Amino acid sequence: MNINKIKQEKRERRHNRVRFKISGTTEKPRLSVFKSNRGMYLQLIDDSKNQTIVSVQIKEIKIKDKKTNIATEMGKLLAQKALAKKIDQVVFDRGGYKYHGRIKAVADGAREAGLKF
């Protein structure tokens, strides 16, 4: 079996394990993180209504820098959009990824801008 396919299956299993334990509400939505080879996507999701409240993608950040610095800026931008919609608390969904690198940078950026986890 292909090593990349095995990695993907392991990530999906971790993601299912994490998602079983957490869910977002209207007052405290879920901050979902997805990263691909070409970009990164952040969403605030209300699971009770199955609705995305706020989203940010890497194309919205105009700086050219290291991926971790861009991830920090994405977290700050998401927090600014959330605070504009009067959302200050979220549940962090790391999406099966390890809390390291870009995922940690997103969380740190969102915390710096005022979101509470």
Side-chain angles (χ1 to χ4, degrees):
M1 194 178 242
N2 188 356
I3 190 74
N4 291 329
K5 191 170 184 179
I6 292 170
K7 283 183 181 181
Q8 179 67 17
E9 288 175 357
K10 284 183 178 181
R11 188 194 73 78
E12 288 173 0
R13 270 189 253 136
R14 279 192 307 270
H15 182 59
N16 289 334
R17 206 168 41 237
V18 169
R19 280 286 292 122
F20 181 75
K21 297 173 187 174
I22 63 171
S23 67
T25 62
T26 306
E27 298 83 28
K28 200 171 181 179
R30 175 171 55 96
L31 194 164
S32 175
V33 178
F34 175 76
K35 65 179 186 175
S36 68
N37 290 339
R38 306 194 87 186
M40 193 168 192
Y41 306 90
L42 309 176
Q43 294 180 332
L44 286 182
I45 301 171
D46 180 4
D47 287 320
S48 61
K49 296 180 184 176
N50 292 329
Q51 184 178 25
T52 299
I53 301 167
V54 175
S55 68
V56 174
Q57 56 182 312
I58 203 162
K59 294 176 185 176
E60 296 178 35
I61 305 298
K62 302 296 181 194
I63 61 172
K64 298 290 183 191
D65 204 354
K66 293 181 181 178
K67 289 181 180 180
T68 53
N69 295 340
I70 293 172
T72 304
E73 293 300 319
M74 287 179 68
K76 289 178 183 178
L77 180 61
L78 182 86
Q80 290 171 358
K81 287 183 176 184
L83 292 173
K85 292 202 175 214
K86 308 235 184 324
I87 298 170
D88 63 344
Q89 289 190 338
V90 296
V91 177
F92 191 66
D93 177 12
R94 59 188 171 85
Y97 303 108
K98 294 179 181 178
Y99 188 79
H100 180 269
R102 289 193 278 168
I103 305 300
K104 185 175 188 271
V106 166
D108 291 342
R111 282 190 189 109
E112 283 179 27
L115 282 183
K116 295 179 185 80
F117 288 38

